[in-house]
Structures are given as structure tokens and as C-alpha cells.
């Protein structure tokens, strides 16, 4: 949870003041850390896992022995490999590889002249059978809006009355939504404080729901200690559904969602009185686009997984998700104003929204597909049209594109098989990078030693472990599973801090974290087991306890400093969520590294729910259904037409072909697992094929050319009754299928003739004849040659407080041009005296390579008193090439509204088109367009 220094100063002072009234627990004389230079996983190793200890020592190779913990018998021996200087820690280290040891037992590792490790286990069964459940209890511990009862806690002494039940009606800070009050009751406290933050909650909920979708039986009904444990739904779903109820309440009657809700001042540390905490002033802070996309994606994913258990609630959540999406699309680039809120919470500022849009689009698309929603095609287009489509890389609350891709490879869909294959390959490629990083480090860290360790570095590692788990599931390569286990070695004590970062695990485990309620009971009550510490942080240190000037992997606060150590010892929902995911994956796949057998499967899958007919034609019926669950895993489905089995798909859809027109058919579906058990039949659905004499649509008529550019042509045609889409051909090549009655062809050559024909298609797939052709020519390149500037409007309102648009610069000449010589100017009126600031939100060439300058005209002209000049810091643009999209956003210093109506450079087109009102310059010479006069 990232907090600027000035935001935390108030907390430091509040903590100091509280210390005068509430004595803190006395710190022991020495921190409890592993004093041995021989670092191992303090829990142990699977028999078939890599077992590589880190030995802090200098000089040449040293002899090592693995000895039985009792009796001291030597069971393995060898010599260390000299690694040298470990960049992240500053330690000089060797590595002792005893992977060949596969006999279960309790051992220590002795290294000649160095010392002996703590005892550890080599096990033929799971090392962490309870960790996933204990890590899940973190979320019940941090519930707000309802009492937290002792019977569901590891220690009943942590029970308390409801925190912030008043969240049922909170005002909007500084009346940003007028006199409305928002209902944001029922949530998880985000971290060590009691704020709730849309973007951080969204990635946390996604992580847990992704686990549910990939491992549906992992935490079934009755598996977790929560009040809802006997309601017939998976307990992990119950926990996420409770913790996410507040998200819908972030939406006011109109407009964007509140970015976050928290107190007006930092809470006391520790909190010992729930009543006092509940009496603090508290508000919903201002809105943002990425918070609104967060509301959309969380509710869409919840609607998808909840539907088999509570169709009515799922339908409600789906409506909320769609509404939030529509609102975010209407204002796609409103960033949270971090300078205009109350002091009592973190900022979670984020100036890039395209990744949030892609992640939300992925969840809405997958849910719309499952629900056969009429908006499916628009969500699918938002996914495939995103610049992040198929992207895979590091993710956290601020960078969520990868979560969209991970959902698309985790949930069955109808995207092109080649695209899904590319996404799977991208996951494996990133996993390969992670493995390479791991193998290059002295300690088994997944963060490269040349990098700073960020706030929450352990969560970065856990998220990378998640990617390794997905890659292992996809490929079966043990290299990924072994790398996951080695990363767990790091979290469990083989690290520069000589400490297990998971509470309750290991001989020397973290004991105190930055949590107001848990610290108030400590040390009389130990912190619960299964909480992940934030980890070393030297990227942003703004607390008094995390040491400065230390190597990255040692920037971690010592024991009993939790109140002042939010930068390294904080705990948060988005750190424990990936701990749940990876602990569960390691537990369920432990047999793959022990030679054992997975759990015996004696249970049939659940019955496929919600069978439905998606489309029909004269000779086919297409079906879909909701995925079944199984204690081990569903491997496929049997589709029956009447009593005859007609298909055995592995996914949740099937098309029955070769049928008779105008005939009724009845279908049922059964699920199969790997052991051969088959579920009972689903409810029956019936369908009637269409008549055999279906009339195709009429041929499109009245083709016209409505816009001409040097590299674009726009054609239109009259609508055709019964048509649901139109195919467009350029010459003999089909270039597009559109649902409207216009098409803009891009990337064309100047002064060139092109011929187009159009074909109409109805819902049954019947096609008309191709239309009569129309021929048109692109215009000549602009005077001066060399450049073209293209524009699209990204802003739904001309009178809000920002201007958002996209630009492309195209080299229409015949030779490459250096981008440092290229500029483009967007002309506007600033509508007042306040200064204007320009931002690059996203650019295909990278925003670091884009420079914006706001210039006031000496004398205003019609439609402009200001222009924004866009320039480039480097690179070359080849002949015929484009810079790709550059997403720009302008706002005033006082955030007052613009009136863009009549602005010289503004257009209303929402697809890229040539923009002669945005002049382009090469080497300072006008090469495109016309400046205002």
C-alpha cells in the first residue's frame, strides 16, 4: 500500500501521541532471527524438490554434510559452489545443493568452518497442508461491517464488535457527489488501517476467484472457519462475496465510482476500542476511472462464479458490473486527484487506465459469454482491441493487464484458438524469465538483484509464483513447480533477513506486523498463523523503522517495530491473497515432487448447471452450460441428443450438426472426471432447427464514400432488414466484419484507387450476394510530404474537466525520419486563466519517449488560444510506419471544466482518421495540416 511521506507524517505523530497514553509492549533484548550463516527453508523440502541452501561465507569451496537432526548420522555430503557477491543483499555467498537427498526425515545442514542450519524436514507429503486455510482466515479476521466472532478465529481473543457499521451511509468528501450518501458496508480492512480501496480490493478478489475458477474444489463448503460454511456454496466464494459487497456502493447515482473510503485522520495505533474507532469521521473520497473499472471487473467475475449457487444475486451483480463499465467508458481517463482528500488513508494513485479497462473487459467478456448476454460482442471487441491483448508480465494493484490475460487462459472462451495459444505461450515465456532470475540469484528470490525491492516485495514474489503455477498447470514442466518451491524457500527463511516472512511458520518466523487490531493484543496474543509480511523495501521508505542505506534485500525493520514499520512490515489483502493461491497450489501438487499419488477420486462431478441453447441454424444447434466441479478435476462432458451420446467436448459448449430443418431436439449434459466417474444428467433443454428455406438477407445497396484521407477511406451503405453484420471486401480480400453500416479502411497508400463490396449476414449465418462495387481513391499526401497526423476522440463529454484524445503520427514519405525532428500541435481554448497540464497516459512507443509542452498563443484565434505540442525524445519512424496510438489527457490546474465545443483541433470521430486540424512538423517545417489563422 503505497503512501507518500507527507501522508504518513500524520500517522507518525498520532502514533507518538498514542504512546503517551497506551504503553507499547516491551521489546526483547534481541530480535528473533536465524543466527546461522547456513540458510535453509525452515519448514523443509519435498523429496523430489530442489534443495539448495545459501551459505554466507567467503573464500573457496567448503565441505558440507546433511546430518540427521537426532543422532547426527551423515546422510549426504558434498562441496559448496561459490556464488560470490549477491547484489540484492550485499552478502558473499556459496550454495550447497543437496537435491539428491530424497529420504524423508529431519535433518540439519553442516558446512565446514561456517556452522549448522536450523533443523528442517525432507517430506514425502505436502509441507504446507494447512497454510492455504490459515492464510484465508486473514480475510475473516479483517472483515468490517459485521462482528468478528471468536469461534471462527485462530485465537478467540481477537474477536470484536463490528468495525465501521456506519459505512452503510457515508458522505462524499467535500460533497463531490452532492448530498448523496453511499452504502459501502461489508468489506475487508485493506491493510494495517481500516481504509477500503477499490483498485487494491479488485486485484485481491481476482486472485482468490481465479484460484476458485482453476481449483473449484479447493475450498468447498465447510472447509473454512466462517459463518457461511454450511450454505451449499464454496467457502472461498462466500468470503470473497462478503468482502466485496461494498464495491457496488461506490457508485453514486451517476458518474464514476469513489476511489476509496477511509477516515479523515489516521486511526490510533494500536486500536483498543472499537467504539472509538467507529466514532471517527469517515467519507468516500473522489472518483476515478480505474476504481470504476475495478467495480466492473470484480462484480462481473463474482457474477460468473456465483451464478450456479444464487442466480438472482448473480444477476444483480452482473447488472452492477455492466453499469460500472458503461460509466467508465463514458469517462475513460479520470485519474484520482491525490492532493484533494483526507489524511487518513493511502493514495493508490494510478495515471494509467488502459490496463484497468482490459482487465475489466476480460471479466465482462467471460461472464457475458457464460450468460449469453447481448453485449457479448462489444466486450469481446474491447478485449481483442486492447493494446494489452495477450499481454503477460508482472502484476499488482497498479498494473493489472496480466490478470486479464490470466483469466482468459483460465476460463473457457470462444476467442481464436491461435490467440489463446499465444497467451499461454506468453505465460510460459514470462515464467521462463522468472526461472532465469531465480537461477541467477544468491538467495532464492524471484526479484533480480539489480532491481530495487518495491513496497510489498514479498507480494511481487508471490504473484510471480502464481504465474509459475499457471505455467506448470499448462505445461506439466517440473521446472516451474520446482521454482515455485524454491521461491517458498525464500519466504520461509532462506533470505538475507534470516527470517520466515510467514507468521507461525519456521523456527524463526515473523511475529509482529503493522496491524492496528492484532498489535493491540500483542504480545499477550500471538499474531495468527499464515500472514505474509510485506518484505524488504528500498524503493520507497517513508517510515521511521525501515532502515535506509541498506542493500535492497535487507531494507526490513526489526522485531517489535510494527507500529513504525508500515513500509516493510505491513500486511494487506493483496499480499495474503497470492499466499493463499500459491500455498494451495503447492499443497495440491506436492505429489508431483514426491512420487506419491494425488488424492483418490471417488466422487463424481457436480451436475452441469444452466444448460442453454445459444444459436440454431437449419442444420445445427449450439449449446452451452456452466462448468461442473469435482474433488480432483473435471476432464470433459458427454452431450446427449435424446438418449444418444453425440459429443464429448472438454469445454462448456458444443455444436450438434447434420440435423434436419424445422425439427425439435432435446439435449442433456453429463460431466466426467479423470477417474471415470460421471455426474447425473443436467436439466433437459429443447431446440428447434430453423426452416430449410431460410431467405438470405437482401444485397446491401447505395454504397457511398463519405470520407477520404491520404491513408484512409470511409464507406457507408443502407441498412438491410434481418442483417446482424456485414462483411467488407477490398478487391477480393475480406478486410472486416462490422455490425454497423459504415467502415473506415486504414493504412492505405496515398493517391491510390481501391474497390469495395459489402455482403449482409443474418443471425442464422445466411449471407447475401456481394453488393455492386464502389471505387474510390485516397487523397495525395499533404503539401510538404512526409507526415500525416491521425486523431480519435477518447472523451465522451466536451464539457467535463479533462480533454482526452489519441494521436498517431504516420510517415507517409519514402524514407525513414528521425522522431526527434517530428512534432504535432493540438489547438484548443483553455476556457479561463488556469494553467493546463498535458499527460501521456499510454503510448505504443512508450510514454517515456513522448514529451508534451503547453504553449499559449500570443494572440487568440478562432477556436484556439493554446496548443499542446507533442514531441519525441528518440527513435526512428520508417517509411509508411506509424507511431501507433498515443493516449493524451489534459486538465487544468484548478480542475475546472473545459468547453471543447468549437476547439480548432477537436473532432468527434471515435476511430482514428486523418486530422488536418492538428498540424505536423518535420524539422520545424510544416509537413501536414493547417494551423488556425
Amino acid at each position: 500500500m503505497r503512501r507518500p511521506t507527507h501522508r504518513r507524517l500524520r500517522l507518525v505523530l498520532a502514533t507518538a501521541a498514542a504512546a503517551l497514553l497506551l504503553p507499547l509492549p516491551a521489546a526483547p533484548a534481541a530480535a528473533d532471527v536465524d543466527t546461522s550463516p547456513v540458510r535453509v527453508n525452515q519448514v523443509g523440502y519435498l523429496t523430489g524438490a530442489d534443495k539448495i541452501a545459501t551459505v554466507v561465507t567467503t573464500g573457496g569451496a567448503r565441505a558440507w554434510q546433511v546430518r540427521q537432526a537426532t543422532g547426527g548420522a551423515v546422510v549426504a555430503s558434498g562441496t559448496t559452489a561459490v556464488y560470490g557477491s549477491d547484489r540484492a543483499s550485499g552478502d558473499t555467498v556459496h550454495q550447497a545443493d543437496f537435491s539428491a537427498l530424497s529420504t524423508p526425515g529431519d535433518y540439519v545442514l553442516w558446512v565446514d568452518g561456517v556452522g549448522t542450519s536450523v533443523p528442517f524436514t525432507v517430506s514425502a507429503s505436502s509441507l504446507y497442508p494447512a497454510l492455504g486455510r490459515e492464510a484465508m482466515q486473514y480475510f475473516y479476521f479483517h472483515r468490517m461491517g459485521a462482528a468478528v466472532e471468536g469461534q471462527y478465529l485462530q485465537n478467540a481473543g481477537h474477536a470484536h464488535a463490528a468495525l465501521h457499521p456506519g459505512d452503510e451511509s457515508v458522505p462524499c468528501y467535500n460533497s463531490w457527489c452532492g448530498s448523496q450518501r453511499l452504502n459501502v458496508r461489508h468489506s475487508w480492512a485493506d491493510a494495517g488501517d481500516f481504509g477500503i480501496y477499490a483498485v487494491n480490493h479488485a486485484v485481491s478478489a481476482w486472485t482468490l476467484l481465479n484460484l476458485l475458477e482453476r481449483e473449484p474444489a479447493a475450498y468447498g463448503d465447510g472447509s473454512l472457519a466462517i459463518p457461511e460454511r454450511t450454505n451449499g456454496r464454496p467457502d472461498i466464494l462466500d468470503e470473497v462475496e462478503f468482502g466485496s459487497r461494498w464495491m457496488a456502493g461506490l457508485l453514486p447515482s451517476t458518474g464514476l465510482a469513489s476511489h476509496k473510503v477511509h477516515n479523515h485522520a489516521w486511526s490510533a495505533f494500536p486500536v483498543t476500542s472499537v467504539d472509538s474507532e467507529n466514532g471517527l469521521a469517515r467519507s468516500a473520497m473522489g472518483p476515478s476511472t480505474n476504481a470504476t473499472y475495478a467495480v466492473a471487473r470484480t462484480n462481473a467475475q463474482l457474477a460468473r462464479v456465483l451464478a450456479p449457487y444464487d442466480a438472482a444475486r448473480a444477476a444483480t451483480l452482473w447488472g452492477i458490473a455492466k453499469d460500472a463499465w458503461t460509466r467508465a467508458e463514458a469517462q475513460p481517463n479520470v485519474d484520482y486527484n491525490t492532493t484533494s482528500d483526507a489524511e487518513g488513508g493511502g493514495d493508490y494513485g494510478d495515471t494509467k487506465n488502459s490496463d484497468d479497462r482490459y482487465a475489466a473487459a476480460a471479466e465482462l467478456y467471460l461472464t457475458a459469454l457464460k450468460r449469453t448476454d447481448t453485449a457479448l460482442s462489444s466486450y469481446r471487441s474491447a478485449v481483442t482491441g486492447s493494446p494489452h491483448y495477450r499481454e503477460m508480465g508482472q502484476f499488482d494493484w497498479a498494473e493489472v493487464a496480466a490478470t486479464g490475460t490470466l483469466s482468459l487462459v483460465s476460463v473457457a472462451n470462444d476467442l481464436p484458438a491461435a490467440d489463446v495459444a499465444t497467451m499461454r505461450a506468453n505465460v510460459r515465456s514470462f515464467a521462463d524469465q522468472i526461472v532465469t532470475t531465480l537461477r541467477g540469484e544468491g538467495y532464492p528470490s524471484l526479484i533480480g538483484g539489480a532491481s530495487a525491492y518495491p513496497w510489498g516485495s514479498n507480494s511481487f514474489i508471490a504473484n510471480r509464483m502464481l504465474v509459475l503455477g499457471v505455467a506448470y498447470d499448462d505445461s506439466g514442466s517440473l521446472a516451474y513447480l520446482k521454482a515455485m518451491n524454491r521461491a517458498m524457500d525464500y519466504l520461509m527463511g532462506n533470505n538475507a533477513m534470516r527470517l520466515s516472512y510467514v507468521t507461525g511458520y519456521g523456527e524463526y518466523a515473523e511475529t509482529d506486523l503493522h496491524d492496528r487490531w492484532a498489535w493491540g493484543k500483542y504480545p499477550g496474543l500471538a499474531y495468527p498463523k499464515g500472514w505474509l509480511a510485506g518484505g524488504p523495501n528500498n524503493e520507497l521508505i517513508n517510515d521511521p523503522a525501515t532502515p535506509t542505506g541498506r542493500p535492497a534485500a535487507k531494507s526490513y525493520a526489526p522485531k517489535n517495530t510494527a507500529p513504525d514499520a508500515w513500509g516493510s512490515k505491513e500486511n494487506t489483502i493483496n499480499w495474503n491473497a497470492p499466499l493463499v493461491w500459491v500455498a494451495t497450489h503447492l499443497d495440491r501438487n506436492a505429489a508431483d515432487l514426491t512420487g506419491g499419488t494425488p488424492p483418490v477420486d471417488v466422487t463424481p462431478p457436480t451436475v452441469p448447471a444452466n444448460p442453454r441453447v445459444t444459436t440454431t441454424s437449419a442444420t445445427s444447434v449450439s449449446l452451452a452450460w456452466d462448468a461442473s466441479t469435482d474433488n480432483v478435476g473435471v476432464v470433459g462432458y458427454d452431450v446427449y441428443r435424446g438418449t444418444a451420446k453425440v459429443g464429448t467436448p472438454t469445454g462448456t459448449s458444443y455444436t450438434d450438426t447434420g440435423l434436419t430443418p424445422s425439427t425439435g431436439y432435446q439435449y442433456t449434459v453429463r460431466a466426467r472426471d479423470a477417474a471415470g466417474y460421471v455426474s447425473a444428467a443436467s436439466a433437459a433443454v429443447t431446440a428447434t432447427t430453423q426452416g430449410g428455406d431460410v431467405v438470405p438477407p437482401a444485397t446491401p445497396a447505395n454504397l457511398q464514400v463519405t470520407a477520404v484521407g491520404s491513408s484512409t477511406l470511409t464507406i457507408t451503405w443502407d441498412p438491410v432488414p434481418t442483417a446482424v453484420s456485414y462483411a467488407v471486401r477490398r478487391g477480393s480480400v475480406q478486410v472486416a466484419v462490422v455490425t454497423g453500416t459504415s467502415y473506415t479502411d486504414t493504412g492505405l497508400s496515398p493517391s491510390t484507387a481501391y474497390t469495395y463490396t459489402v455482403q449482409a449476414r443474418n443471425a442464422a449465418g445466411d449471407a447475401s450476394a456481394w453488393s455492386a462495387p464502389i471505387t474510390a481513391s485516397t487523397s495525395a499526401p499533404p503539401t510538404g510530404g512526409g507526415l500525416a497526423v491521425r486523431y480519435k476522440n477518447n472523451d465522451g463529454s466536451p464539457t467535463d474537466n479533462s480533454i482526452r484524445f489519441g494521436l498517431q503520427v504516420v510517415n507517409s514519405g519514402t524514407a525513414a525520419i528521425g522522431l526527434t525532428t517530428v512534432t504535432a500541435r493540438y489547438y484548443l481554448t483553455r476556457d479561463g486563466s488556469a494553467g493546463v497540464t498535458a499527460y501521456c497516459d499510454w503510448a505504443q512507443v512508450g510514454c517515456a519517449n513522448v514529451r508534451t509542452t503547453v504553449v499559449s498563443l500570443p494572440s487568440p484565434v478562432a477556436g484556439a488560444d493554446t496548443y499542446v505540442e507533442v514531441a519525441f525524445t528518440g527513435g526512428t519512424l520508417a517509411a509508411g510506419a506509424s507511431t501507433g496510438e498515443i493516449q493524451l489527457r489534459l486538465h487544468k490546474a484548478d480542475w475546472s471544466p473545459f468547453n471543447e465545443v468549437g476547439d480548432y483541433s477537436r473532432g468527434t470521430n471515435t476511430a482514428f482518421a486523418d486530422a488536418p486540424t492538428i498540424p505536423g512538423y518535420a524539422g520545424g517545417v510544416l509537413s501536414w495540416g493547417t494551423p488556425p489563422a
Side-chain angles (χ1 to χ4, degrees), residues 410-443:
S410 298
V411 181
N413 57 69
D414 65 354
L415 293 173
D419 287 1
V420 176
T422 297
M423 285 185 271
R424 293 170 58 193
N426 289 345
V427 171
R428 295 193 302 272
S429 177
F430 183 48
D432 290 339
Q433 296 174 37
I434 295 169
V435 173
T436 298
T437 296
L438 169 69
R439 292 173 176 171
E441 294 303 303
Y443 291 95

Side-chain angles (χ1 to χ4, degrees), residues 216-484:
Y219 297 104
D221 192 31
S223 62
L224 299 177
I226 57 174
E228 302 85 357
R229 63 184 304 171
T230 58
N231 64 358
R233 305 192 315 208
D235 286 349
I236 189 171
L237 174 58
D238 284 326
E239 187 59 66
V240 178
E241 192 277 329
F242 177 95
S244 302
R245 291 176 194 168
W246 71 288
M247 292 282 276
L250 290 173
L251 295 169
S253 58
T254 60
L256 298 176
S258 167
H259 193 71
K260 56 179 183 170
V261 178
H262 57 66
N263 299 343
H264 291 188
W266 290 105
S267 304
F269 204 118
V271 166
T272 56
S273 167
V274 169
D275 289 342
S276 296
E277 171 63 26
N278 290 344
L280 298 176
R282 189 169 172 89
S283 295
M285 303 300 152
S288 73
T289 297
N290 50 30
T292 312
Y293 280 131
V295 173
R297 75 179 193 261
T298 299
N299 282 283
Q301 191 178 18
L302 261 175
R304 183 167 72 247
V305 296
L306 187 62
Y309 309 100
D310 189 342
R313 175 64 175 161
T316 297
L317 296 176
W318 179 232
I320 293 166
K322 295 176 69 174
D323 178 35
W325 170 266
T326 300
R327 297 186 191 202
E329 290 290 272
Q331 299 185 67
N333 283 300
V334 176
D335 297 334
Y336 180 67
N337 183 0
T338 60
T339 65
S340 62
D341 62 3
E343 287 287 334
D347 288 337
Y348 285 102
D350 185 4
T351 60
K352 187 176 77 170
N353 300 312
S354 57
D355 59 319
D356 301 87
R357 182 178 188 266
Y358 172 62
E363 303 305 337
L364 273 88
Y365 155 66
L366 291 169
T367 304
L369 178 65
K370 189 170 186 177
R371 299 180 68 90
T372 62
D373 192 276
T374 56
L376 171 62
S377 62
S378 66
Y379 299 135
R380 186 192 294 111
S381 295
V383 170
T384 59
S386 170
H388 301 287
Y389 184 43
R390 302 181 293 265
E391 181 178 311
M392 190 61 227
Q394 181 66 44
F395 64 93
D396 58 13
W397 67 263
E399 189 66 55
V400 296
T403 67
T405 297
L406 288 168
S407 282
L408 295 174
V409 300
S410 298
V411 181
N413 57 69
D414 65 354
L415 293 173
D419 287 1
V420 176
T422 297
M423 285 185 271
R424 293 170 58 193
N426 289 345
V427 171
R428 295 193 302 272
S429 177
F430 183 48
D432 290 339
Q433 296 174 37
I434 295 169
V435 173
T436 298
T437 296
L438 169 69
R439 292 173 176 171
E441 294 303 303
Y443 291 95
S445 172
L446 302 185
I447 300 175
S451 304
Y453 271 39
W455 192 307
S457 62
N458 285 340
S459 74
F460 275 63
I461 289 172
N463 284 336
R464 292 184 177 192
M465 293 171 71
L466 184 157
V467 174
L468 291 171
V470 175
Y472 175 67
D473 293 344
D474 179 64
S475 68
S477 170
L478 288 177
Y480 299 131
L481 186 58
K482 289 183 176 182
M484 279 189 78

Side-chain angles (χ1 to χ4, degrees), residues 8-100:
R8 274 298 190 176
L9 178 61
R10 187 70 60 87
L11 174 61
V12 176
L13 297 177
T15 302
L20 300 177
L21 302 175
L22 298 168
L24 299 179
D32 290 344
V33 297
D34 182 3
T35 57
S36 171
V38 183
R39 311 285 167 73
V40 295
N41 181 322
Q42 296 178 17
V43 175
Y45 304 87
L46 295 176
T47 53
D50 289 340
K51 306 172 189 70
I52 304 174
T54 304
V55 182
V56 182
T57 188
T58 59
R62 295 176 180 268
W64 60 259
Q65 295 176 347
V66 177
R67 300 170 175 175
Q68 290 181 344
T70 301
V74 176
V75 297
S77 61
T79 56
T80 61
V82 178
Y83 174 89
S85 176
D86 177 64
R87 293 172 297 177
S89 65
D91 290 338
T92 299
V93 301
H94 295 198
Q95 293 177 334
D97 187 343
F98 55 101
S99 302

Side-chain angles (χ1 to χ4, degrees), residues 470-742:
V470 175
Y472 175 67
D473 293 344
D474 179 64
S475 68
S477 170
L478 288 177
Y480 299 131
L481 186 58
K482 289 183 176 182
M484 279 189 78
N485 278 269
R486 285 206 66 205
M488 192 61 105
D489 296 347
Y490 173 88
L491 295 179
M492 292 295 180
N494 188 354
N495 56 60
M497 291 306 300
R498 307 170 292 168
L499 181 73
S500 168
Y501 288 122
V502 180
T503 56
Y505 276 78
E507 184 171 341
Y508 297 96
E510 180 57 271
T511 57
D512 61 290
L513 297 175
H514 185 78
D515 187 275
R516 280 167 167 75
W517 187 252
W519 178 264
K521 304 292 183 179
Y522 174 85
L525 293 182
Y527 277 61
K529 294 178 68 176
W531 290 20
L532 180 63
N537 161 33
N538 70 329
E539 183 181 74
L540 176 64
I541 301 175
N542 61 11
D543 67 42
T546 301
T548 59
R550 302 287 301 277
K554 292 183 177 178
S555 293
Y556 190 78
K559 184 174 180 176
N560 288 334
T561 61
D564 293 331
W566 53 85
S568 57
K569 290 167 72 82
E570 192 160 35
N571 58 97
T572 78
I573 55 175
N574 66 311
W575 301 347
N576 245 61
L579 179 63
V580 172
W581 199 107
V582 300
T584 305
H585 189 277
L586 290 172
D587 176 55
R588 293 176 70 83
N589 291 280
D592 294 351
L593 287 177
T594 61
T597 57
V600 177
D601 186 359
V602 296
T603 305
T606 59
V607 176
N610 192 26
R612 53 203 181 272
V613 176
T614 55
T615 60
T616 63
S617 72
T619 58
S620 68
V621 172
S622 295
L623 307 166
W625 53 90
D626 293 347
S628 296
T629 60
D630 184 69
N631 65 313
V632 175
V634 175
V635 297
Y637 298 87
D638 298 332
V639 180
Y640 288 82
R641 184 198 314 133
T643 58
K645 185 191 294 185
V646 294
T648 57
T650 56
T652 55
S653 62
Y654 177 72
T655 299
D656 192 18
T657 60
L659 307 179
T660 303
S662 303
T663 303
Y665 296 92
Q666 185 178 76
Y667 296 89
T668 54
V669 184
R670 297 171 183 261
R672 285 180 288 105
D673 65 19
Y677 288 92
V678 179
S679 75
S682 71
V685 293
T686 58
T688 301
T689 51
Q690 299 184 32
D693 58 346
V694 174
V695 177
T699 303
N702 193 27
L703 271 67
Q704 298 184 47
V705 177
T706 57
V708 175
S710 62
S711 60
T712 62
L713 290 170
T714 300
I715 61 170
T716 62
W717 54 90
D718 292 344
V720 175
T722 76
V724 297
S725 64
Y726 301 89
V728 181
R729 289 193 311 196
R730 184 199 314 129
S732 60
V733 178
Q734 182 174 307
V735 292
V737 175
V738 297
T739 56
T741 56
S742 66

Side-chain angles (χ1 to χ4, degrees), residues 147-229:
V148 173
E149 302 177 50
Q151 62 179 309
Y152 304 114
L153 296 168
Q154 293 179 30
N155 192 315
H158 284 127
H160 58 78
L163 280 161
H164 293 293
D167 278 359
E168 194 166 60
S169 177
V170 297
C172 293
Y173 191 67
N174 288 337
S175 302
W176 67 265
C177 66
S179 60
Q180 295 181 63
R181 300 184 74 88
L182 306 183
N183 181 359
V184 291
R185 187 174 181 177
H186 297 133
S187 60
W188 298 319
D190 178 82
D193 55 79
F194 305 108
I196 45 181
Y197 308 87
V199 291
N200 204 48
H201 181 93
V203 74
S204 308
W206 173 86
T207 303
L208 297 176
L209 293 178
N210 178 262
L211 173 61
L212 173 61
E213 292 195 285
R214 296 184 65 87
E215 295 281 1
Y219 297 104
D221 192 31
S223 62
L224 299 177
I226 57 174
E228 302 85 357
R229 63 184 304 171

